[in-house]
């Protein structure tokens, strides 16, 4: 049986995938009737697998008695999650009776994303305090993020337009808006 501590459970999210902008230690407890003879923890970052090293990447705390249930608490250190990206943690173990177990098959999937980078917006077609003698002008927006953008809000002279993730993804982050000419200063905020 695998259980996640409260903070790790929040990170995993009810849907199975969530994100954080601050890497944290993960705490997972495995309860087994028998003594474990083999433990392997694999960390996937954007599909690239890496076997973690005990004592360097994670710490195991053992409890229980020879004749009772055994518990193995795995503290996976936050330094393993320093890079932005999608992570999946798989704990594989084998006990003395040669029973094999892993957290994925036991319904305790641990997948999440680390995103410490802010999105970028490049605006072309207008400049700060630019003056243009046109009836209308097309403004191009190039919105990018290392993982995903939930929404983009464009405020033109107080009028709000919201682009959702589906619209942003469909256009690959390249959006445009037409601004009508005015005889006064216009304010654009992204």
């Amino acid at each position: 049986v695998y259980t996640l501590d409260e903070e790790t459970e929040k990170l995993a999210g009810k849907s199975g995938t969530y994100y954080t902008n601050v890497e944290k230690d993960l705490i997972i407890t495995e309860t087994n009737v028998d003594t474990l003879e083999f433990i392997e923890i694999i960390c996937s970052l954007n599909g690239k697998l890496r076997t973690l090293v005990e004592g360097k990447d994670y710490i195991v705390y053992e409890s229980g008695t020879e004749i009772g249930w055994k518990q193995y608490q795995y503290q996976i250190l936050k330094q393993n999650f320093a890079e932005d990206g999608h992570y999946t943690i798989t704990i594989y173990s084998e006990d003395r009776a040669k029973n094999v177990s892993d957290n994925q098959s036991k319904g305790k999937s641990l997948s999440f994303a680390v995103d410490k980078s802010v999105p970028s917006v490049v605006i072309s077609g207008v400049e700060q305090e630019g003056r243009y003698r046109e009836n209308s002008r097309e403004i191009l927006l190039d919105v990018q993020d290392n993982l995903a953008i939930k929404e983009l809000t464009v405020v033109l002279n107080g009028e709000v337009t919201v682009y959702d993730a589906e619209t942003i993804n469909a256009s690959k982050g390249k959006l445009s808006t037409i601004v009508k000419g005015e005889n006064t200063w216009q304010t654009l905020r992204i």
Side-chain angles (χ1 to χ4, degrees):
V1 175
Y2 294 91
T3 53
L4 310 178
D5 81 328
E6 187 177 334
E7 287 300 309
T8 304
E9 186 77 46
K10 284 181 193 174
L11 182 62
K14 300 221 186 268
S15 65
T17 303
Y18 202 55
Y19 91 98
T20 183
N21 57 6
V22 178
E23 61 270 26
K24 301 173 185 174
D25 286 358
L26 304 179
I27 308 291
I28 304 162
T29 302
E30 179 178 355
T31 304
N32 197 316
V33 71
D34 209 346
T35 301
L36 295 183
E37 290 191 337
F38 179 79
I39 298 168
E40 183 175 59
I41 300 178
I42 298 172
C43 178
S44 167
L45 171 58
N46 298 325
K48 185 177 178 184
L49 302 177
R50 180 171 71 91
T51 301
L52 301 184
V53 176
E54 184 176 354
K56 177 184 171 203
D57 299 317
Y58 69 95
I59 302 165
V60 180
Y61 301 97
E62 297 180 32
S63 62
T65 63
E66 186 62 33
I67 58 171
W69 289 88
K70 282 76 170 161
Q71 283 197 320
Y72 299 85
Q73 184 183 72
Y74 308 108
Q75 179 182 2
I76 304 170
L77 304 176
K78 64 184 177 183
Q79 73 232 19
N80 294 294
F81 315 114
E83 290 182 49
D84 284 2
H86 293 279
Y87 289 88
T88 300
I89 299 296
T90 303
I91 299 173
Y92 172 87
S93 62
E94 188 175 307
D95 65 20
R96 247 189 331 211
K98 302 300 180 200
N99 296 310
V100 172
S101 184
D102 72 81
N103 61 307
Q104 304 291 342
S105 65
K106 296 293 184 182
K108 284 296 179 181
S109 176
L110 184 49
S111 296
F112 60 94
V114 174
D115 184 2
K116 297 179 282 185
S117 303
V118 297
S120 70
V121 179
V122 176
I123 303 169
S124 59
V126 292
E127 293 180 13
Q128 179 73 18
E129 299 185 22
R131 294 177 187 221
Y132 311 96
R133 295 179 186 248
E134 300 172 333
N135 291 331
S136 66
R137 186 168 191 85
E138 182 178 27
I139 298 174
L140 302 173
L141 308 173
D142 186 355
V143 186
Q144 303 298 322
D145 188 60
N146 62 322
L147 294 179
I149 297 175
K150 183 178 180 180
E151 69 179 25
L152 171 75
T153 303
V154 176
V155 182
L156 178 61
N157 302 321
E159 185 177 316
V160 177
T161 305
V162 178
Y163 298 92
D164 62 14
E166 187 177 321
T167 303
I168 296 167
N169 289 335
S171 68
K172 294 185 170 69
K174 311 259 190 279
L175 304 165
S176 71
T177 187
I178 302 295
V179 178
K180 294 180 183 173
E182 296 284 338
N183 289 326
T184 61
W185 285 105
Q186 299 191 60
T187 303
L188 174 67
R189 186 167 48 101
I190 310 297

